[in-house]
Amino acid sequence: MATREQKIQILQALVIITEMTDTKWSEATLDAVVQELAAYDFNQVHKALNRVRREHKGRLTLAAILDFLDDGYPSADEAWALVADGMTSESLTIVIPEIAQLAAGDARTLWTCGDKYGARQAFLRMYERMKAERQSEPCRWVVEAGTDKEQRDMKIKEATAQGKLDRSRALAYLPDNSTETRELLLTGQTLTPEQRRIGQQRTGAMLAMLADKMAISDELR
């Protein structure tokens, strides 16, 4: 929720834009639009109003402002493409909005039954509905981890760089052998060739030790 000072800035920007677009809004309308926009992240609203001022043609409407508002959510078609990739191959790691994961529930059932068109349509309807319900909330991204560790490492690193995952969540999803990416997330620096060699040796030693312990445990049984 915007502060009082931020609401004043939103109001000032709206007054300027209405004048530029020859839009006649009453004080009550201005107040209603300010209250509506105050529910969103202020930085996103500020960027949207700047874009409206530069790019919008014709009379101003609340819908036009919301069209310029980047809420961080991909479109339904973009989200479906990500979900479909994950359903196509268990090896792939996908990073998707939380609402896409929830919207994929019934779609997965239809997909498994071979109805890919029905799966897509069910997903699009549910995703759009949930997106509308959460339009004032920031997009929360989740990870569906695949079996391909190298691809998972790449996806986690990419999502972190894009700001979709914070460092702690990214570290939790990294494969055990992602030494270099783990070091990058922790320190902001990549490993030198020597550090990479030592890390590989330590990983190998730990795996060997675990294998020995498992072998001894099996013998005791």
Side-chain angles (χ1 to χ4, degrees), residues 70-86:
D70 180 10
D71 56 9
Y73 287 93
S75 69
D77 284 326
E78 291 170 332
W80 170 249
L82 296 172
V83 169
D85 281 345

Side-chain angles (χ1 to χ4, degrees), residues 121-137:
Q121 294 304 112
F123 174 86
L124 295 180
R125 286 194 300 270
M126 182 62 72
Y127 182 86
E128 289 288 10
R129 191 179 80 184
M130 297 184 73
K131 184 179 177 183
E133 291 173 351
R134 303 191 186 191
Q135 61 180 359
S136 62
E137 300 177 14

Side-chain angles (χ1 to χ4, degrees), residues 92-142:
L92 296 180
T93 291
I94 57 174
V95 182
I96 57 177
E98 183 180 46
I99 63 170
Q101 187 180 56
L102 297 173
D106 291 339
R108 292 184 193 279
T109 302
L110 292 169
W111 181 280
T112 302
C113 294
D115 185 2
K116 294 185 178 181
Y117 175 79
R120 179 178 180 275
Q121 294 304 112
F123 174 86
L124 295 180
R125 286 194 300 270
M126 182 62 72
Y127 182 86
E128 289 288 10
R129 191 179 80 184
M130 297 184 73
K131 184 179 177 183
E133 291 173 351
R134 303 191 186 191
Q135 61 180 359
S136 62
E137 300 177 14
C139 180
R140 184 176 186 275
W141 296 81
V142 297

Side-chain angles (χ1 to χ4, degrees), residues 5 12 43 50 71 86 112 135 154 159 163 167 195 210 219:
E5 290 73 18
Q12 291 172 336
N43 290 327
N50 281 337
D71 56 9
T112 302
Q135 61 180 359
M154 179 189 70
R167 187 176 64 179
Q195 289 172 327
L210 289 173
E219 289 177 2

